[in-house]
Amino acid sequence: MTIEARFQLQKAQFNLDVDLSIPKRGITAIFGPSGCGKTTLLRAIAGLEHSPRGYLKIGEEIWQDGDIFLPTHQRPLGYVFQEASLFDHLSVRSNVEYGLKRIPMDERQVSLDQAIELLGISQLMDRRPDQLSGGEKQRVSIARAIAVSPKILLMDEPLSALDYQRKREIMPYLESLQQQLEIPILYVSHSPDEVARLAQQMVLLDAGKVQAVGPMTELLTRLDLPLAHYDKAGALVEATVAGHDDDFELTHLDFPGGRFSIGRQQLTVGQSVRIRVTARDVSLTLEHQQGTSILNVFPVTIDEIIPGDKTRVTVRLNAGGVPLLSRVTRKSVTALDLKPGKQIFAQVKTVALLS
Amino acid sequence: MSLTDADLAAVLLTLKLAALSTFILLLIGTPLAWWLSRSRWRFKFLLEGVIALPLVLPPTVLGFYLLIALGPNGPIGGLTQWLGGDSLAFTFTGLVIGSVFYSMPFVVQPLQHAFTAVGRRPMEVAATLRASPMDRFLTVAIPLARSGFLTATVLGFAHTVGEFGVVLMIGGNIPGETQVLSIAIYEHVEALEYGRAHWLSGGLLLLSFVMLLAVYGLNRRYTGIQP
């Protein structure tokens, strides 16, 4: 099952011109700088923008083709806007029930209770929107969107209007949403951290055009794309919990390129986890160092070296088929004679566990 | 001293005229104001100008043209005669038509402003929640614009109650048919019956003030709910 979308739309700042095919599953991030057309693309999928010669097919259903243009209210989608946009004249309960009431009984896959429970808003149901915090409002608006049992959930930077604390408050809800409801999600964002944590696939947009489409793990480390070059660039690694070290309170995570040992986590053996290895935390060495305090050292092959700024370069490494990024100085490249194809060792100082 | 039968008839006629005119104005004005708040038609300003005319035009001028239009040789009067009725000049129906034109801006403008303030976003949200255009108009746009409706209703009503020039021109002064409150007051003053003029004027003053208090009071409560 795929989502196929072709749109051409003229806007003041850019011309949206996309031709996309993405798997209809998991969380797909639509990522790019501000004003690159992410929101316009999402609105075109929702039918809120009309691209005259557009084409849109969601799984088996055609939503737009030639003269066919399903109006928004006939598209089985959920939409979460950047601002919560709750109806001020209705209570929280009536807000959440607004869409649900308009769905025929036999199309209701998500119950009201399920929506309320998934977003943790049972305490808020009898309040009015102006009595909620920003984070609470956005949780209510997400519950309202999933209560219509959408076949696809469109989210337009749902966290961007929130501060760091509120973001951390909502993230877990978004993760469990995807795991429990099996609704494909298109997630617009300009935050690499958000995207790395949540998404499996990514559509990279720039100035209205698609730069790349593919799995997160691949696009994050492709040196021809801007993601590998921003300050906190890094690789995403899928690993399995291999076991715990009771003496030193460590947890071992295996991936095709070797084993990470990190501070002990509440994880069960065999569980899949995603970890993020930031490029600046990866240093390179020609031999497997013996006298080092760093636990995580892997044999790697150099794929590609791309100059960053005047001092630093970004190196893409292959660790048993898994791409890693390392940021080192230009001086080190010369000193160690680093070049593509060379076999060396990567030392990883810290990793971040994402889920 | 209290109201005479003639005065009472004028009061009732005025209330009937104002209620009916306001009702018709809300029926016409709601879709019109909605269209004005949403349309991007480049000549929209022409229509807005026409609707606002009664704000600046002397009522006698408006009344004069309405008298001609409603009379036996005018387009509207001619039409009603052709349909087998009478001309509409000096009738209650004529007064209602005149009032609708005269009070139009007082109803359409608050509604238009309220609809504009609602914005596009709530309507888009409702569309993504499966509400059809009519459904979202009734369940989102109108409730969100309720303070505009309150203002429009009260201003439209009060303005019709207070009209004088237009009524005098197209309605004349037929007791029980076209003699409204403001004209009855004028009559009493002309006849130097200041006592009866006081009764009616004081009543009108009180009514107008109470209605305005209601608008401002309720609007403040509404905006208190929606910061």
Side-chain angles (χ1 to χ4, degrees), chain B residues 7 9 17-18 37 57 68 72 97 99 110 118 128 134 157 163 167 169 210-211:
Chain B
D7 287 343
L17 175 67
S37 74
L57 213 55
I68 290 175
I97 294 173
S99 303
V118 168
T128 67
M134 187 50 98
F157 189 88
E163 79 178 79
V167 176
M169 292 297 279
V210 166
M211 283 196 292

Side-chain angles (χ1 to χ4, degrees), chain A residues 58-85:
Chain A
I58 307 284
E60 296 297 304
E61 291 175 41
I62 289 191
W63 287 7
Q64 186 180 352
D65 185 15
D67 292 338
I68 302 170
F69 183 83
L70 221 54
T72 301
H73 68 276
Q74 289 172 9
R75 300 184 180 200
L77 54 81
Y79 200 114
V80 178
F81 291 83
Q82 197 170 342
E83 316 80 32
S85 307

Side-chain angles (χ1 to χ4, degrees), chain B residues 118-154:
Chain B
V118 168
R120 289 177 191 278
R121 179 50 57 80
M123 302 301 281
E124 289 184 349
V125 172
T128 67
L129 295 170
R130 306 290 191 284
S132 67
M134 187 50 98
D135 184 357
R136 51 191 191 252
F137 180 70
L138 294 175
T139 57
V140 176
I142 288 187
L144 285 178
R146 64 196 162 194
S147 73
F149 275 92
L150 181 71
T151 308
T153 306
V154 173

Side-chain angles (χ1 to χ4, degrees), chain A residues 120-194:
Chain A
I121 55 168
S122 57
Q123 306 300 314
L124 313 175
M125 293 308 277
D126 296 318
R127 298 216 205 144
R128 300 194 66 90
D130 62 330
Q131 296 168 319
L132 304 180
S133 72
E136 288 169 338
K137 276 185 192 167
Q138 199 54 289
R139 268 154 59 198
V140 172
S141 91
I142 297 170
R144 182 174 67 174
I146 62 169
V148 299
S149 307
K151 290 195 178 145
I152 181 168
L153 185 59
L154 309 174
M155 306 183 97
D156 185 7
E157 310 214 28
L159 305 184
S160 72
L162 306 175
D163 60 34
Y164 181 70
Q165 275 305 320
R166 297 282 95 72
K167 279 184 192 170
R168 284 196 36 176
E169 168 195 322
I170 292 191
M171 271 304 192
Y173 292 109
L174 293 180
E175 283 168 333
S176 61
L177 207 65
Q178 165 56 24
Q179 286 154 13
Q180 304 209 13
L181 295 180
E182 295 179 345
I183 298 171
I185 299 178
L186 293 188
Y187 189 98
V188 162
S189 177
H190 69 263
S191 153
D193 299 323
E194 235 172 87

Side-chain angles (χ1 to χ4, degrees), chain B residues 183-221:
Chain B
I183 299 208
I185 293 169
Y186 179 72
E187 284 277 296
H188 290 322
V189 175
E190 285 280 277
L192 297 176
E193 297 166 335
Y194 276 32
R196 292 175 67 188
H198 263 304
W199 265 98
L200 293 181
S201 299
L204 200 56
L205 181 71
L206 195 67
L207 177 72
S208 306
F209 190 56
V210 166
M211 283 196 292
L212 285 178
L213 283 185
V215 174
Y216 288 119
L218 283 172
N219 267 348
R220 205 182 55 184
R221 225 183 63 202

